[in-house]
Amino acid sequence: MMARKQARPEASQEVVLEPIQITCRACGNRMRMARHSQRMVTTLQGVTHLTLKVYRCSNADCPRFRQVTRPEEEGQWAITTWRICAGCHCSGRGAALSGVA
């Protein structure tokens, strides 16, 4: 991968993402916010600054104790396994989408 020659453009919009479910799947207690995570995503519509609210269970008896829960919508914003190569769109697994195998 080549280094960036120009600075990334400023974000044209800012979006805050929060998990839909903030109760623990294992024990049912309300999870607490662990931290904010920042991410910049470039789409065809421009650069978007994402702020992700990351939660975790604070119940010491829970099997998911201190395991983080990230917003479900994060996966819709950025697909990290896709790349463009040799004029076709394919995943990291080599499955061609343009009909060329």
Side-chain angles (χ1 to χ4, degrees):
M1 185 176 288
M2 295 176 54
R4 184 181 304 267
K5 294 183 181 188
Q6 297 176 333
R8 180 182 287 232
E10 293 293 320
S12 57
Q13 63 177 335
E14 294 192 22
V15 177
V16 178
L17 301 179
E18 188 169 352
I20 296 170
Q21 180 179 348
I22 56 172
T23 56
C24 180
R25 295 187 302 247
C27 69
N29 286 343
R30 180 172 162 75
M31 293 188 289
R32 296 184 185 257
M33 187 183 310
R35 65 180 181 272
H36 287 89
S37 181
Q38 309 290 320
R39 188 169 188 178
M40 297 287 274
V41 178
T42 303
T43 64
L44 295 175
Q45 288 75 32
V47 179
T48 302
H49 178 254
L50 298 177
T51 301
L52 311 167
K53 292 185 177 181
V54 181
Y55 283 75
R56 69 179 181 191
C57 185
S58 59
N59 179 5
D61 297 327
C62 179
R64 291 190 47 84
F65 177 58
R66 292 191 176 166
Q67 292 183 8
V68 298
T69 300
R70 298 177 69 87
E72 298 85 355
E73 192 180 352
E74 179 184 10
Q76 296 173 4
W77 278 94
I79 302 174
T80 58
T81 60
W82 291 90
R83 58 180 99 116
I84 300 173
C85 59
C88 71
H89 302 285
C90 62
S91 70
R93 297 175 201 89
L97 296 178
S98 62
V100 179

